[in-house]
Amino acid sequence: MAYGDFPPQLLPPGSPSDRVPSAPPGTIFVLGPEGGYAVPPRRYTLLFGRDREDVHVPVGVDDPTVSRRHGVFTRADADGDWWLVNTGNLPIELPDGVLMLTGHKRVMGPGYTPLVINSSKRRSHLVEVRVVDGDDPHPRSTSGAETAAPETVYVLSLQERLVLTALARRYLEGQDAFPLPSAWEETARLVNASPHVTKSWTHKSVANTVEDVRERLRRRGVRGLTRDEVGEPVGSTLSVNLIRELLRTATLNAQDLELLADDRG
């Protein structure tokens, strides 16, 4: 079959990721536990998620915390890139540990990329993605119900949510591959600029609020939130672990950025 005649096609359940069909450069293969889909380089929208009747690649079909349409791959034309957008409630974790939150968008580079949806039910759902490189035309790699809210969503007061949103701003914006928490002074500045602020905040008061939330989660069994657990030097590790737990459970999401002022500097 000529490359130009290669149509989008289903891959049967159990298709091994190291033996997908030959395909032209730019073809995307997306594999889930029930099979997958292959699309050549052309304008296309490919969906994955829980609702097997409404997506190309079903994943987490028996897990109500996975969204019915959890993610979408799009390509504008034959010469463009494949883009991944998280349209689900829970984050999509990339191999480098980066969490794609709802609405975050990322180019899928050539090669193999495993995507993981970590359910709040402590289950993980794998979606395997392969974009054929120009030098490798034979890719090789190592239901209608509403989406349920994650079982572990931590309760935050409005002011706690405001402080933690400011602390996690770079994570929520999704612009940095390896974001860091805001410094305490920057967190206080962002909070004080919010139209939802109810008092004047200092670097000490935002740090104390973050510590209170961290201790609350520690008592609920979340690991990695104390100095004894992470060891020295601590640096920003405690805040990073707290932010990742709040993102993983969708306690914080990109919509919380609306709490901050439009001009975030």
Side-chain angles (χ1 to χ4, degrees):
M1 177 182 293
Y3 280 172
D5 297 331
F6 180 84
Q9 61 182 256
L10 286 168
L11 299 173
S15 297
S17 59
D18 62 348
R19 290 201 298 275
V20 292
S22 298
T27 298
I28 190 170
F29 292 85
V30 183
L31 290 166
E34 298 189 7
Y37 220 78
V39 184
R42 63 177 62 179
R43 182 170 182 167
Y44 206 84
T45 299
L46 190 153
L47 307 169
F48 65 92
R50 175 169 52 88
D51 188 353
R52 62 163 59 95
E53 302 301 323
D54 196 37
V55 297
H56 299 88
V57 181
V59 59
V61 295
D62 61 346
D63 185 344
T65 66
V66 175
S67 296
R68 289 179 294 173
R69 290 188 176 186
H70 206 98
V72 56
F73 297 97
T74 60
R75 188 174 181 126
D77 52 56
D79 297 324
D81 293 311
W82 286 105
W83 287 83
L84 168 64
V85 181
N86 183 352
T87 56
N89 186 37
L90 294 174
I92 298 172
E93 184 169 357
L94 301 171
D96 52 12
V98 171
L99 296 176
M100 287 185 64
L101 308 183
T102 304
H104 285 185
K105 186 176 182 180
R106 185 183 179 102
V107 171
M108 300 303 298
Y112 174 72
T113 306
L115 307 175
V116 177
I117 303 169
N118 290 308
S119 167
S120 60
K121 293 176 175 292
R122 300 296 178 181
R123 298 171 57 190
S124 294
H125 305 283
L126 174 65
V127 178
E128 297 181 275
V129 183
R130 181 79 187 202
V131 178
V132 179
D133 196 331
D135 297 327
D136 181 13
H138 301 281
R140 303 202 177 274
S141 74
T142 54
S143 309
E146 291 298 320
T147 301
E151 290 184 343
T152 305
V153 176
Y154 304 105
V155 176
L156 301 174
S157 70
L158 176 59
Q159 296 304 296
E160 287 174 338
R161 183 172 296 278
L162 178 56
V163 168
L164 289 162
T165 297
L167 182 73
R169 175 180 64 88
R170 295 184 182 92
Y171 291 80
L172 296 170
E173 288 178 339
Q175 297 178 2
D176 299 330
F178 300 99
L180 288 174
S182 302
W184 297 128
E185 292 82 0
E186 173 68 2
T187 300
R189 185 189 71 80
L190 290 169
V191 172
N192 285 326
S194 168
H196 302 280
V197 71
T198 58
K199 69 175 187 178
S200 179
W201 291 81
T202 67
H203 69 280
K204 289 185 178 180
S205 59
V206 296
N208 288 338
T209 296
V210 171
E211 183 177 354
D212 289 344
V213 176
R214 197 169 63 233
E215 172 61 19
R216 203 157 72 230
L217 269 60
R218 184 200 65 78
R219 292 197 300 268
R220 294 190 58 173
V222 179
R223 304 282 297 171
L225 299 182
T226 67
R227 288 180 174 269
D228 291 343
E229 290 174 328
V230 304
E232 298 290 346
V234 174
S236 60
T237 302
L238 299 181
S239 290
V240 169
N241 291 346
L242 173 63
I243 290 170
R244 289 184 64 86
E245 176 67 11
L246 296 175
L247 298 180
R248 185 193 67 79
T249 57
T251 301
L252 285 183
N253 58 62
Q255 292 181 342
D256 288 317
L257 288 169
E258 297 175 1
L259 293 173
L260 303 181
D262 291 338
D263 182 10
R264 295 191 281 273

